[in-house]
């Protein structure tokens, strides 16, 4: 299928980008990495007469970490840059791992974290880790900006609460507390390159006595949207995390998923792997949380 | 929807070209600049045959709009050899190790390897395989490609060529 014809706008500021969006309203799409958008236009018949590129908007690729503010990922920051940012590698290992193993080096050099979220694929690799870390999106439109919790962001496959005239300016991720461990595990049929068939992210935060103060578990590719495992989180919070409890909590994650059979895996395989990966992730989180302050 | 005049900086040369905004960098490199070393395989970002370096980073030129490459530095396979008589160490290693069979994947494979070695000059075998994970070869079975990249890494580390 041939690429449809369109005009490309390359604004230098967010204000110009917002103006272009509202001026062209219906037939307009935002372009960042292009790895999803151009494929949908060439192969899936997605049409837009105007593309507004975010790639020359000043400051939109910035990635910054400070203990006081946590992590701020600019709306056009590339997956590869996020994955190898020292602050991400040190404080957000689950996100660093997702950003460094998903897709291919070329796609990671092009694609953005914001695009990965906004496209709202159930299998989006950055979604589960960012859910575990309690991330929010900062969405701007001409009237102002709002913060959307990632856990309220997804509405279904390819659907989110982002309005057509909004741009994701940044993703904000709180700084992880002391005695915190986090991890992400994914499975796909063809090593990393293929889209994830199952992804599990977790975070464990211990109190001074070594009990679980806070637990977050999130699943990708096993429901219409990335989902949290509230039951498993509640089983662990307030408890002393021995191995038997981690195994039970990991097993309970299966009740939070609603997988389907598709080309990448059967629903039964996905259910079995949710348990295995959740247990692995919890063990890794505990080891990291017990291992040190970072 | 008028053509847009852009400046492409390819292998140190500057080209001013008028392009349709929906044309990809791969198409413009091949059809306007006649730099046909860059291949179009799957045309959907999976096979890596169209890999070029954009500001030093490997990208799929079939998923990059040419207008987005305006005034950015592009390296294609034609820009790698230091002179007509000398090959880049990666090219030399590919020849010596039999890492080229039909040759269609080779330009993208070599540019992906260049990006890998610039970020990780002494990669393990697994790191090489992962670094080339975005490039498909249907001839070699990859082993000879991995050997060639290992040899080139040693050659580059020995400081004979930057």
């Amino acid at each position: 299928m041939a690429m449809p014809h369109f005009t490309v706008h390359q604004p230098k500021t967010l204000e110009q980008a917002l103006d272009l969006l509202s001026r062209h309203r219906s037939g307009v799409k935002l372009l960042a990495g292009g790895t999803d958008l151009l494929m949908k236009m060439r192969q899936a018949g997605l049409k837009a007469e105007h593309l507004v590129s975010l790639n020359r908007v000043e400051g939109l690729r910035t990635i910054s970490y400070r203990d006081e503010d946590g992590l701020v990922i600019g709306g056009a920051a590339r997956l590869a840059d996020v994955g190898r940012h020292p602050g991400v590698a040190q404080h957000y290992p689950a996100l660093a791992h997702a950003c460094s193993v998903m897709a291919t080096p070329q796609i990671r050099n092009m694609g953005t974290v914001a695009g990965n979220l906004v496209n709202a694929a159930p299998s989006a690799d950055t979604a589960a880790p960012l859910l575990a870390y309690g991330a929010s999106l900062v969405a701007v439109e001409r009237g102002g900006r709002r913060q959307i919790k990632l856990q309220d962001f997804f509405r279904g496959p390819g659907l989110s609460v982002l309005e057509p005239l909004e741009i994701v300016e940044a993703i904000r991720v709180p700084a992880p507390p002391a005695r915190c461990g986090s991890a992400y595990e994914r499975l796909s049929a063809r090593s990393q390159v293929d889209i994830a068939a199952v992804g599990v992210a977790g975070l464990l935060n211990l109190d001074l006595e070594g009990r679980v103060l806070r637990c977050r578990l999130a699943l990708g590719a096993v429901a219409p949207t990335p989902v949290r495992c509230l039951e498993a989180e509640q089983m662990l919070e307030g408890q002393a995390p021995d191995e038997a409890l981690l195994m039970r909590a990991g097993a309970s994650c299966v009740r939070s998923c609603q997988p389907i059979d598709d080309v990448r895996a059967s629903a039964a395989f996905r259910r079995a792997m949710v348990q295995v990966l959740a247990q692995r992730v919890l063990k890794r989180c505990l080891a990291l949380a017990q291992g040190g302050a970072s | 929807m008028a053509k847009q005049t852009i400046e492409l900086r390819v292998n140190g040369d500057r080209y001013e070209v008028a392009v349709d905004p929906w044309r990809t960098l791969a198409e413009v490199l091949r059809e306007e600049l006649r730099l046909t070393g860059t291949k179009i395989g799957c045309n959907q970002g999976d096979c890596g045959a169209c890999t070029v370096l954009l500001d030093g980073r490997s990208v799929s030129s079939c998923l990059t709009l040419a207008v987005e490459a305006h005034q950015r530095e592009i390296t294609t396979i034609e820009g790698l050899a230091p002179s007509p008589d000398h090959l880049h160490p990666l090219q030399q290693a590919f020849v010596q190790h039999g890492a080229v069979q039909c040759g269609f994947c080779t330009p993208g494979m070599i540019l992906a390897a260049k990006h890998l070695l610039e970020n990780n000059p002494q990669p393990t075998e697994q790191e090489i395989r992962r670094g080339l994970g975005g490039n498909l070869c249907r001839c070699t079975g990859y082993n000879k490609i991995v050997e060639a990249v290992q040899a080139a890494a040693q050659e580059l580390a020995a400081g004979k060529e930057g």
Side-chain angles (χ1 to χ4, degrees), chain A residues 10 42 53 55-56 106 109, chain B residues 43 51 58 68 70 135:
Chain A
Q10 298 171 309
R42 191 149 58 197
S53 165
N55 294 317
R56 288 174 199 261
Q106 289 91 328
N109 282 337
Chain B
N43 213 17
T51 303
S58 61
E68 290 278 86
H70 172 58
N135 295 75

Side-chain angles (χ1 to χ4, degrees), chain B residues 92-108:
Chain B
Q92 190 65 45
F94 268 59
V95 171
Q96 274 169 358
H97 287 80
V100 179
Q101 287 190 25
C102 90
F104 195 85
C105 75
T106 310

Side-chain angles (χ1 to χ4, degrees), chain B residues 1-149:
Chain B
M1 281 178 264
K3 289 198 179 196
Q4 223 167 307
T5 301
I6 57 169
E7 180 192 303
L8 291 180
R9 300 176 179 170
V10 188
N11 305 326
D13 295 326
R14 293 183 181 212
Y15 302 84
E16 204 171 88
V17 272
V19 299
D20 291 315
W22 56 86
R23 302 266 281 168
T24 65
L25 180 59
E27 291 166 343
V28 171
L29 285 170
R30 290 178 54 82
E31 292 161 25
E32 304 296 326
L33 307 191
R34 300 285 164 183
L35 293 171
T36 52
T38 302
K39 305 303 180 199
I40 298 176
C42 69
N43 213 17
Q44 52 185 19
D46 283 329
C47 79
C50 69
T51 303
V52 301
L53 302 184
L54 190 58
D55 291 337
R57 302 154 60 120
S58 61
V59 300
S60 301
S61 61
C62 76
L63 287 182
T64 303
L65 295 177
V67 293
E68 290 278 86
H70 172 58
Q71 290 185 340
R72 296 171 67 188
E73 300 294 333
I74 301 158
T75 304
T76 69
I77 192 67
E78 289 91 345
L80 235 56
S83 77
D85 303 323
H86 293 90
L87 293 175
H88 183 279
L90 270 165
Q91 294 172 308
Q92 190 65 45
F94 268 59
V95 171
Q96 274 169 358
H97 287 80
V100 179
Q101 287 190 25
C102 90
F104 195 85
C105 75
T106 310
M109 198 67 84
I110 287 180
L111 288 164
K114 185 164 192 286
H115 178 258
L116 168 71
L117 294 183
E118 275 165 12
N119 288 285
N120 182 0
Q122 295 292 317
T124 63
E125 182 191 330
Q126 204 200 347
E127 286 168 342
I128 294 173
R129 289 183 184 275
R130 284 191 47 194
L132 301 180
N135 295 75
L136 299 182
C137 172
R138 299 292 77 162
C139 304
T140 63
Y142 300 101
N143 283 347
K144 291 181 182 300
I145 292 174
V146 173
E147 288 166 23
V149 175

